[in-house]
Amino acid sequence: MAAKKTSGGEPKGYAEAMAELESILREIDSNSVDVDVLSTKVQRASYLVDWCTERITAAQLTIDELVASFEDDDEGFDDDEFEGDDDFDEDDEDDE
């Protein structure tokens, strides 16, 4: 079993950061944390919250940019382009 990262350093990813944060919060909630390390635990939790928030914000910006680029692509599409298409004409169906 892999050891949990409990202090210092940047998490490898969002899931790891959340797992560490949950572990810290459980420890603080259980009242079993030593008063001498409480400040360190709270500082680490604060760092992890900020770190996760930055990742969420970055992901949201990326998603927003992608959605905007799809919307820009749709603006260039004109339904009228296909009205004169000889491959399929609704009037041809009635003629048969």
Side-chain angles (χ1 to χ4, degrees):
M1 185 175 178
K4 289 184 182 176
K5 195 179 228 181
T6 57
S7 64
E10 188 168 310
K12 292 180 183 175
Y14 184 84
E16 181 180 302
M18 287 301 297
E20 184 181 349
L21 183 57
E22 289 171 3
S23 174
I24 292 170
L25 293 176
R26 276 193 306 275
E27 191 174 347
I28 292 170
D29 282 344
S30 72
N31 295 322
S32 66
V33 66
D34 185 347
V35 173
D36 296 327
V37 297
L38 179 61
S39 176
T40 303
K41 296 284 185 182
V42 171
Q43 286 175 344
R44 179 65 178 169
S46 177
Y47 168 80
L48 292 169
V49 167
D50 290 343
W51 190 91
C52 289
T53 300
E54 288 174 11
R55 296 312 170 278
I56 292 169
T57 301
Q60 184 63 51
L61 288 172
T62 300
I63 291 167
D64 290 345
E65 289 172 1
L66 289 170
V67 168
S69 72
F70 290 137
E71 290 172 353
D72 290 345
D73 289 346
D74 286 347
E75 288 176 8
F77 179 75
D78 184 9
D79 289 336
D80 295 337
E81 286 180 35
F82 296 102
E83 282 185 11
D85 192 354
D86 291 337
D87 291 339
F88 180 77
D89 188 358
E90 291 179 18
D91 292 335
D92 290 344
E93 286 183 17
D94 295 336
D95 295 340
E96 291 179 15

